[in-house]
Amino acid sequence: MTDPETLSVTLVDGYVDEPAHFGVPPYISTYPRYTAGALVDAGVPAESITYHTIDGLRDEQPRWRDVDEADLLIYLGGITVPGKYVGGTPAEPDEVKELAWTASGTTLMGGPVKFGVGDANEGAIETERQDLDFDFVAKGDVEAAAYDLVDNGLEGFGDRMRDVSEVTRWARQGAFVVEQHPNHPEYLICELETSRGCAYRCSFCTEPLYGDPTFRPPETVVDEVDALSAYGVSHFRLGRQADMLAYGGDGEAPNPDALEALYGGIREVAPDLETLHLDNINPVTIARWPEAARRGLEIIARYNTPGDTAAFGLESADPVVQEANNLAVSTEECLEAVRIVNEAGGWRPGEDPAEAPTFGDDAADRLPKLLPGINLVHGLQGERPETYEHNLDFLHRVYDEGLLLRRVNIRQVMAFAGTEMSETGADIAIEHKQQFKPYKRQVREEIDNPMLQRLAPPGTVLPDVHLEYHQDGKTFGRQLGTYPLLVAIPGERPLGQTLDVAIVDHGYRSVTGVPHPLDLNEASLDELEVIPGIGRSRAGDIVVNRPYSSVTDVDVGDDLDLSPFTVASQ
């Protein structure tokens, strides 16, 4: 029998992306935190637990020694909703196999990888369940498997799901592991779980495989935030649930009182938090219980931080596809839900919430508190050429009504065993790829770009943009939060620093910005010329005629106002 106190354990985070769970940097999912807590609860000393991200192993070869020498290696990962990632690159199947081959000790694999593995982390592909050469694969909860495996002397475990009392302990006991994340503490956001499972059974989604919704009581989530705050975390997202509005109720109807207890409790234990966002809200909940949903949305918008996004799983605006895939919400219901979220959360800091949604010249220069985002999935059963027309028509209706969307997410389906789409596979997505590409570009040009200009016009300020990488002579960065805007800043600035940015121009899903406020006496020519109305020639004149004692000293004519962007310091 192996004594837990003598064990050395290495956790490798290959990152997760599920319908209701995200863990690609700068996010850290619940899996490594809860697994670390389960190990401690089973008797493994916290100082004997080492955590690495897959990117950390890629970047520093000596870290592989921890994989080799550990008594127990636990791999955590799995992509069931593929996307494009900036902060990290999820582990590919061959890399996961290499972990198993390198490890000298016992190996355990878990997370959404249990649902299946494809040839790559992308849409329109088939998947199958594989062990990837690991000794054990957790077909239940990997944290429960880790606890039982250690408790059984590394000889095995029975697949099971953990209960509320266990996750309450493990969430607090495993909070320490965040200190080993390479992004800690300034650029790390913790995904928080409020519930698992879903009341609906959409054909392609893996979330119903967790069963009907089960909720963590508000005080347990608040306790987890308290523990994470003690380890320097100040950014949080309530992202691990299928429907934030249904929290604490029967799994379908809104429960505003539970939301008040949850959000109010978080603010009480973490009064200085910098980010509090959410992810999923089911639009059918808003459409069927509009008044209770409105109260819940108003509570969220009161406690959250600006730029928050409620991801709506419309999936398709085509009624044929909706029926064939058991999609929960109709197009008209989703449109009404978009209206209600705009009215309840579409106000900006400093404004009267009753005037939401706000945009235009009179709007405050910050992002709105809470807006909907639309998810569209292609390759579903029943998809036809008209499907693309239905989706475009819906998006145009939203825009033409003067409503706001934070973003539109378009992807192709992945087919997993256990879902209805496993019978159809990726055949439809593959067949329609040629139509998918021009349609996606049409959405970017006709919806995304004008919507982004409405959402964040020139002069909108994005506080605390973290600079991540250089490309084409620019520095790119993002805020922490749900679906943050990618910001391009002229010139190559030191990476890792954080600065406030004022938006000056818009792409399809990203913006161009300049440091805010931009000092006219120090700004580069490249920074000055991107300010609306300046251009290269005027920027050159501004540089030549420096210094200035005030912004009004700059001769740019009566048609330009530089005050939203610049100052003139002496």
Side-chain angles (χ1 to χ4, degrees):
M1 197 74 171
T2 305
D3 184 354
E5 291 190 359
T6 68
L7 284 179
S8 63
V9 183
T10 295
L11 307 178
V12 175
D13 189 349
Y15 311 143
V16 301
D17 193 352
E18 302 181 77
H21 200 176
F22 190 59
V24 181
Y27 282 82
I28 181 170
S29 73
T30 65
Y31 290 111
R33 291 153 29 211
Y34 294 178
T35 302
L39 292 167
V40 170
D41 200 32
V44 179
E47 57 270 20
S48 298
I49 300 172
T50 301
Y51 167 81
H52 291 301
T53 65
I54 189 65
D55 282 310
L57 293 178
R58 292 174 182 137
D59 293 342
E60 295 186 31
Q61 193 66 28
R63 295 181 179 182
W64 281 84
R65 185 179 298 111
D66 294 328
V67 174
D68 176 22
E69 297 178 354
D71 298 313
L72 174 60
L73 168 72
I74 303 178
Y75 171 75
L76 308 161
I79 304 296
T80 63
V81 187
K84 293 184 177 179
Y85 311 106
V86 175
T89 302
E92 295 288 352
D94 286 346
E95 292 180 301
V96 182
K97 287 182 179 179
E98 187 178 359
L99 290 167
W101 299 338
T102 301
S104 299
T106 302
T107 57
L108 167 66
M109 178 174 71
V113 68
K114 69 184 179 184
F115 295 126
V117 179
D119 293 332
N121 297 319
E122 59 188 24
I125 64 171
E126 308 280 357
T127 66
E128 62 178 350
R129 291 188 169 117
Q130 300 180 37
D131 64 15
L132 298 175
D133 295 334
F134 274 68
D135 297 327
F136 298 102
V137 178
K139 296 180 177 62
D141 281 326
V142 64
E143 51 267 41
Y147 179 91
D148 293 347
L149 184 61
V150 170
D151 196 48
N152 292 331
L154 302 186
E155 295 178 3
F157 58 87
D159 288 309
R160 68 178 180 89
M161 308 300 279
R162 35 83 169 168
D163 59 32
V164 171
S165 63
E166 286 177 319
V167 76
T168 299
R169 296 196 309 273
W170 297 347
R172 173 168 281 279
Q173 290 173 310
F176 73 92
V177 86
V178 298
E179 292 190 312
Q180 299 183 46
H181 195 287
N183 287 44
H184 181 272
E186 288 87 3
Y187 197 52
L188 184 66
I189 181 167
C190 285
E191 189 87 324
L192 299 173
E193 174 186 316
T194 66
S195 70
R196 295 193 301 180
C198 186
Y200 304 97
R201 298 292 184 267
C202 299
S203 68
F204 61 94
C205 187
T206 56
E207 190 60 25
L209 299 179
Y210 289 101
D212 291 329
T214 56
F215 301 99
R216 295 176 64 195
E219 61 271 17
T220 69
V221 183
V222 171
D223 183 66
E224 181 178 2
V225 171
D226 185 45
L228 290 167
S229 296
Y231 286 102
V233 176
S234 58
H235 303 276
F236 304 94
R237 186 176 81 153
L238 295 157
R240 181 65 183 103
Q241 71 278 314
D243 184 0
M244 191 70 247
L245 272 184
Y247 172 71
D250 62 3
E252 296 184 47
N255 186 342
D257 291 340
L259 289 169
E260 176 68 39
L262 176 66
Y263 273 84
I266 289 173
R267 280 292 193 171
E268 185 174 343
V269 298
D272 298 322
L273 64 79
E274 298 179 62
T275 304
L276 181 56
H277 280 185
L278 59 85
D279 189 8
N280 299 305
I281 283 180
N282 195 329
V284 75
T285 306
I286 303 173
R288 294 180 182 174
W289 295 277
E291 293 312 311
R294 189 184 297 271
R295 291 199 302 275
L297 292 164
E298 289 170 349
I299 289 168
I300 293 170
R302 184 166 74 246
Y303 287 113
N304 72 352
T305 54
D308 201 359
T309 307
F312 278 7
L314 172 61
E315 321 305 1
S316 178
D318 184 345
V320 171
V321 177
Q322 290 170 358
E323 182 175 357
N325 295 274
N326 304 316
L327 301 185
V329 67
S330 72
T331 305
E332 292 304 319
E333 287 175 326
C334 189
L335 183 59
E336 179 61 15
V338 169
R339 295 185 186 110
I340 291 174
V341 175
N342 268 257
E343 293 165 2
W347 53 279
R348 302 165 193 257
E351 296 179 338
D352 183 352
E355 296 181 359
T358 60
F359 57 88
D361 293 339
D362 295 331
D365 64 352
R366 292 293 190 274
L367 292 177
K369 292 299 293 294
L370 176 67
L371 291 176
I374 298 296
N375 295 339
L376 298 171
V377 179
H378 286 272
L380 298 177
Q381 299 169 56
E383 185 173 285
R384 53 194 177 139
E386 293 88 344
T387 301
Y388 297 85
E389 297 173 13
H390 281 286
N391 288 350
L392 281 164
D393 178 66
F394 169 78
L395 294 173
H396 277 290
R397 288 179 67 189
V398 171
Y399 184 81
D400 292 345
E401 276 199 31
L403 299 170
L404 293 166
L405 295 176
R406 170 55 197 86
R407 63 100 179 101
V408 179
N409 185 27
I410 305 171
R411 67 179 180 88
Q412 292 175 296
V413 72
M414 293 179 79
F416 288 91
T419 69
E420 290 182 24
M421 275 302 297
S422 63
E423 299 178 8
T424 305
D427 292 349
I428 296 174
I430 294 169
E431 180 183 344
H432 292 177
K433 269 199 169 185
Q434 291 304 112
Q435 187 174 5
F436 178 76
K437 291 180 179 178
Y439 149 81
K440 191 172 183 179
R441 182 170 183 84
Q442 190 175 0
V443 172
R444 300 303 181 228
E445 293 175 347
E446 296 179 8
I447 302 298
D448 284 338
N449 180 263
M451 185 66 78
L452 195 50
Q453 294 184 54
R454 177 183 289 176
L455 168 73
T460 301
V461 177
L462 304 178
D464 300 323
V465 172
H466 186 91
L467 306 184
E468 294 184 285
Y469 66 95
H470 297 136
Q471 184 177 311
D472 300 329
K474 301 181 181 69
T475 303
F476 288 81
R478 298 175 298 170
Q479 295 176 297
L480 277 171
T482 299
Y483 310 109
L485 285 170
L486 183 64
V487 185
I489 302 168
E492 294 194 351
R493 290 178 164 267
L495 301 182
Q497 68 175 217
T498 301
L499 71 161
D500 297 348
V501 172
I503 294 174
V504 296
D505 200 6
H506 307 81
Y508 297 147
R509 292 163 65 82
S510 62
V511 295
T512 300
V514 294
H516 182 267
L518 189 65
D519 189 348
L520 287 169
N521 292 321
E522 300 290 340
S524 70
L525 188 65
D526 290 339
E527 290 170 336
L528 290 168
E529 73 169 304
V530 297
I531 295 175
I534 295 295
R536 193 72 174 179
S537 177
R538 275 178 167 169
D541 292 340
I542 291 172
V543 170
V544 168
N545 293 315
R546 292 197 292 213
Y548 303 97
S549 58
S550 74
V551 174
T552 57
D553 291 343
V554 182
D555 183 13
V556 290
D558 297 332
D559 57 328
L560 291 180
D561 180 11
L562 298 181
S563 60
F565 308 97
T566 63
V567 294
S569 61
Q570 295 295 300

